[in-house]
Amino acid sequence: MMKKLYNLLTFLILSAVVYTSCTPDKYDLEKTDIKSEDLVEGIAYTITHDTENPNIVYLTSLMESNYQSLWSHPQGRSQTQKDTLKIAFPGVYKVLFGVNTRGGVVFAADSAEFVIDEFYSGFVDHILWTNLTGGVGHEKTWRLDYGSYGLAAGPLTYCEPQTTWDEWQAGTASIGWAPAWVGNEWIIEEADKDSRMTFSLIDGAEITTHKVTEGVDEEGTFSLDVDNHTITTTDATILRSNNFIANATNWNQNLAILELTENQLMVGVRRTNDEGDYLYVWNFVSDEYAENYVPEDLPDPEPILPDGWQDDVAKVVSYDIKWVLSPETPFNWANLDGSLMNGDWVSPETYPDWTGFNATIPETYSNFSLTTNSQDNTVEMVLPDGTESSGTFELDEKGIYTFSGVTPEFNICSWVNLSTTAENQWRILSIEKNLSGDVTGMWVGALSTEKPEYMCYKLVPQMGNSEADASGTELDVDNTKLLFGNLEDNNDKFRIEIYNEYGDTQSAPPVVPADVVFENSIEITFTLQGITLLDGAAGSYKTAIQMADADWSISDWGDGTGAGETTITGDGTYTVSWTPSSPYETALVFCVDVVDLIPDLSDLTAVSVTVDKVVMY
């Protein structure tokens, strides 16, 4: 059966070619130096068949190189001086040739025709063609995968812009987000469950679509590049969501294929709007597979905690250990198996703007603590506003905490809240350890009632996780070498300098910098005497540790506030602490800063400081 004649659409070119030279030229864009009658086959361009394989057709422009060639042909559109078509099916085909001139786009008055006499299977004899279409003489229909067939979580997966077939097949692709449709219905309307697209190899490589929410039915052609794993469509586009159409400028040319099996198709479209470059990967499932799919009766996945986790947690909580909310990664979302949905959120700077979290937020919840004791299962809680409560807890064999008498609940930032479930429960989703095997943090989650996911929070212990760690390692401090006072003239901080590579303690250090080594946290107890304030002074001042290790890879450097801070109100003994994100080795800068105290002191020379104890855990 001869292939039907293609009705080819002309290009819509919105801008003219601008020519430049050493001196500016002025062109009248209303005038052209080429007319449609000039663009004749054999004079302006040629159509030739390969001598060895006549199913290969060469389109060659004979125009001067300063004219950009425009082709509309059975396998799409192009803008090259020479194009090569590989056509498997016999038929009469049309080519429309045009050029970009200084006066605009000019197309030939008529299309030219060429004939393919015989079918050549070599161009479509590949497993990817077969998986997409069902093979020569067949067609296959696909629908969007709403997460109902055990293949994809939902219709859309976000991937890094340059994600390739090879990365996806090797399991090394960087997935930004793979949301389930349930709970994220804004992605695409439910009506598009009835949308369909069909790829056919019956009379040629043709695509037809039925798009419910777009309200269109399309007929076009497609080509598949099995070497580069891309697909190009003409006069039709893949199924998609109305909400995303304006976010990408290219829905046709060389779309990335990440997966193409008998039952699953994944096609990536590059985002080009002001949100930044990203790859929208649309997930499809074959109609036949979807219609015959019977889900296995499997239980929901659950977090898998490491062997001995009960002992790990019991060691942490056996000594009235204070848990605080991580200042670096306080919240996230997790799948039912406990895996984080946003694994690349590792610091305040990496949280997206829509979360409302940034480096200033941890100060607002720095007073929060949850102190637990596994010997009597008691718990004491302090909320960010200072509200205190006490109660008990249970921890079952699945890692589910159930609290009584305390209800951890407060606003972290913007619309993000810390809370437990309606049953006042958290589930341990994962446990983090350092190189010594000590627990340095754990993710706990509250199961959503609307989506198959957890809202989760990272708690970090402020003390060690064994009897030796509970007492810690005390650091020797020579108070005769201690420096304190207004040590920086560009701020109003009262600084207690225990060691500073860039200060006067560098030559006469109160501590041995190489001895400042700890896995979990550090705690400094110090005594102030002689503090007399001016009339009308604030009377209370935030105080916290400021530290950096030998190569600045681990540091707590800012405004003297944060988790582990305290408040100075006058003479007395105070304790501050700090829990780094990873083990700390060798001090470069080691200070305690009292914010805004200097202007309020009536006599700075009367103040004395002693560091009573520095304990590392």
Side-chain angles (χ1 to χ4, degrees):
M1 178 178 181
M2 296 293 286
K3 180 179 175 60
K4 67 183 180 182
L5 295 179
Y6 287 91
N7 295 318
L8 303 176
L9 300 178
T10 61
F11 287 107
L12 297 178
I13 306 298
L14 301 180
S15 61
V17 174
V18 177
Y19 297 94
T20 61
S21 62
C22 295
T23 57
D25 290 324
K26 183 177 180 180
Y27 293 115
D28 182 354
L29 295 183
E30 297 303 318
K31 297 179 180 180
T32 64
D33 56 357
I34 297 293
K35 298 185 291 297
S36 295
E37 305 87 74
D38 298 327
L39 302 181
V40 178
E41 182 186 359
I43 297 176
Y45 65 96
T46 60
I47 302 174
T48 58
H49 294 257
D50 186 85
T51 55
E52 295 184 1
N53 185 344
N55 290 68
I56 299 175
V57 178
Y58 303 112
L59 309 180
T60 305
S61 171
L62 301 178
M63 302 294 290
E64 295 179 9
S65 60
N66 58 319
Y67 292 102
Q68 183 183 38
S69 300
L70 308 173
W71 303 94
S72 182
H73 53 68
Q75 293 184 333
R77 302 185 178 98
S78 61
Q79 301 180 26
T80 60
Q81 292 297 101
K82 185 173 182 178
D83 205 349
T84 301
L85 310 181
K86 296 181 179 180
I87 300 178
F89 293 88
V92 178
Y93 297 87
K94 288 187 177 183
V95 172
L96 184 63
F97 178 68
V99 291
N100 228 340
T101 75
R102 53 185 155 178
V105 175
V106 178
F107 278 102
D110 297 304
S111 299
E113 294 183 352
F114 66 91
V115 177
I116 298 295
D117 293 320
E118 297 181 356
F119 170 67
Y120 178 68
S121 64
F123 293 152
V124 293
D125 186 15
H126 192 281
I127 186 61
L128 295 185
W129 280 95
T130 301
N131 286 342
L132 183 64
T133 66
V136 176
H138 298 275
E139 63 183 18
K140 183 183 284 189
T141 300
W142 300 81
R143 66 177 71 174
L144 284 158
D145 188 341
Y146 279 70
S148 304
Y149 310 107
L151 297 176
L156 180 63
T157 300
Y158 289 75
C159 289
E160 293 296 327
Q162 303 299 335
T163 303
T164 64
W165 166 276
D166 290 339
E167 290 175 337
W168 187 268
Q169 297 301 312
T172 59
S174 179
I175 301 175
W177 190 33
W181 180 73
V182 177
N184 295 289
E185 290 86 352
W186 60 271
I187 291 175
I188 189 169
E189 296 183 40
E190 187 169 13
D192 273 319
K193 288 184 177 181
D194 293 325
S195 296
R196 296 291 185 271
M197 66 180 177
T198 300
F199 293 96
S200 172
L201 278 183
I202 295 177
D203 287 325
E206 299 179 353
I207 175 176
T208 58
T209 69
H210 172 63
K211 298 179 175 179
V212 175
T213 57
E214 286 190 48
V216 296
D217 293 315
E218 301 167 321
E219 295 183 7
T221 60
F222 75 95
S223 60
L224 191 64
D225 187 333
V226 298
D227 296 320
N228 295 308
H229 301 97
T230 61
I231 188 170
T232 295
T233 64
T234 303
D235 300 329
T237 61
I238 61 172
L239 302 183
R240 57 196 180 173
S241 166
N242 275 352
N243 296 331
F244 288 79
I245 294 175
N247 296 354
T249 56
N250 174 29
W251 287 93
N252 295 93
Q253 297 292 315
N254 299 315
L255 307 183
I257 297 175
L258 300 187
E259 188 74 64
L260 179 47
T261 67
E262 183 180 2
N263 301 315
Q264 186 180 20
L265 170 64
M266 300 174 66
V267 180
V269 175
R270 296 284 286 276
R271 183 175 68 189
T272 55
N273 66 1
D274 56 9
E275 296 177 78
D277 196 8
Y278 226 73
L279 193 67
Y280 294 140
V281 180
W282 297 94
N283 302 312
F284 305 100
V285 57
S286 74
D287 243 20
E288 182 178 0
Y289 181 80
E291 292 297 332
N292 294 282
Y293 177 73
V294 178
E296 293 184 61
D297 188 13
L298 297 175
D300 289 336
E302 294 186 307
I304 299 177
L305 300 178
D307 293 340
W309 70 266
Q310 294 96 332
D311 292 336
D312 290 333
V313 175
K315 288 178 183 177
V316 172
V317 299
S318 60
Y319 303 103
D320 282 344
I321 301 303
K322 181 188 295 184
W323 294 89
V324 298
L325 188 62
S326 169
E328 297 294 318
T329 52
F331 64 88
N332 207 316
W333 283 264
N335 299 303
L336 293 181
D337 64 0
S339 60
L340 297 178
M341 291 185 177
N342 308 286
D344 55 348
W345 294 357
V346 295
S347 66
E349 294 75 21
T350 58
Y351 277 73
D353 291 342
W354 57 263
T355 65
F357 184 66
N358 57 56
T360 67
I361 299 298
E363 179 181 347
T364 66
Y365 61 73
S366 60
N367 287 336
F368 168 73
S369 64
L370 200 65
T371 304
T372 53
N373 188 304
S374 65
Q375 293 177 328
D376 56 12
N377 280 29
T378 58
V379 57
E380 297 181 359
M381 183 178 70
V382 179
L383 292 177
D385 64 1
T387 303
E388 299 182 7
S389 58
S390 60
T392 60
F393 72 91
E394 295 180 1
L395 180 62
D396 68 15
E397 69 281 357
K398 291 186 174 182
I400 298 176
Y401 281 103
T402 302
F403 298 101
S404 177
V406 299
T407 303
E409 185 173 12
F410 60 87
N411 177 255
I412 298 175
C413 60
S414 185
W415 53 276
V416 180
N417 298 312
L418 180 143
S419 64
T420 54
T421 64
E423 296 76 25
N424 205 15
Q425 292 179 333
W426 274 337
R427 183 166 190 167
I428 300 176
L429 304 180
S430 62
I431 295 174
E432 297 180 358
K433 298 183 180 183
N434 59 27
L435 298 177
S436 301
D438 303 326
V439 175
T440 58
M442 64 178 175
W443 283 96
V444 297
L447 184 63
S448 171
T449 58
E450 300 177 354
K451 309 176 186 179
E453 64 184 36
Y454 290 92
M455 178 72 197
C456 57
Y457 316 96
K458 185 177 179 180
L459 302 180
V460 294
Q462 289 206 323
M463 305 287 282
N465 62 356
S466 66
E467 187 170 0
D469 288 335
S471 59
T473 300
E474 189 166 345
L475 183 69
D476 291 333
V477 181
D478 185 347
N479 276 286
T480 64
K481 299 179 179 180
L482 194 69
L483 293 182
F484 53 85
N486 187 17
L487 303 185
E488 296 181 324
D489 58 9
N490 61 346
N491 59 47
D492 294 327
K493 295 177 182 178
F494 181 93
R495 168 160 289 182
I496 304 170
E497 185 173 292
I498 302 172
Y499 178 73
N500 187 347
E501 182 75 18
Y502 311 104
D504 291 338
T505 52
Q506 190 273 338
S507 58
V511 299
V512 177
D515 290 346
V516 186
V517 178
F518 54 95
E519 296 275 359
N520 298 316
S521 63
I522 190 167
E523 189 175 80
I524 303 172
T525 301
F526 59 95
T527 299
L528 299 177
Q529 295 292 335
I531 292 181
T532 304
L533 301 177
L534 298 171
D535 290 341
S540 62
Y541 307 89
K542 290 182 177 180
T543 305
I545 296 173
Q546 300 287 297
M547 293 190 73
D549 66 352
D551 61 1
W552 286 91
S553 62
I554 304 171
S555 62
D556 180 29
W557 205 254
D559 61 0
T561 63
E565 71 177 20
T566 190
T567 301
I568 299 299
T569 56
D571 288 353
T573 299
Y574 301 92
T575 299
V576 289
S577 62
W578 177 51
T579 301
S581 58
S582 58
Y584 180 104
E585 294 185 7
T586 307
L588 185 74
V589 180
F590 185 10
C591 307
V592 175
D593 280 347
V594 185
V595 178
D596 296 331
L597 178 61
I598 292 296
D600 291 351
L601 289 172
S602 60
D603 185 1
L604 175 60
T605 62
V607 180
S608 65
V609 179
T610 57
V611 173
D612 304 313
K613 183 184 293 187
V614 176
V615 185
M616 300 175 294
Y617 300 96

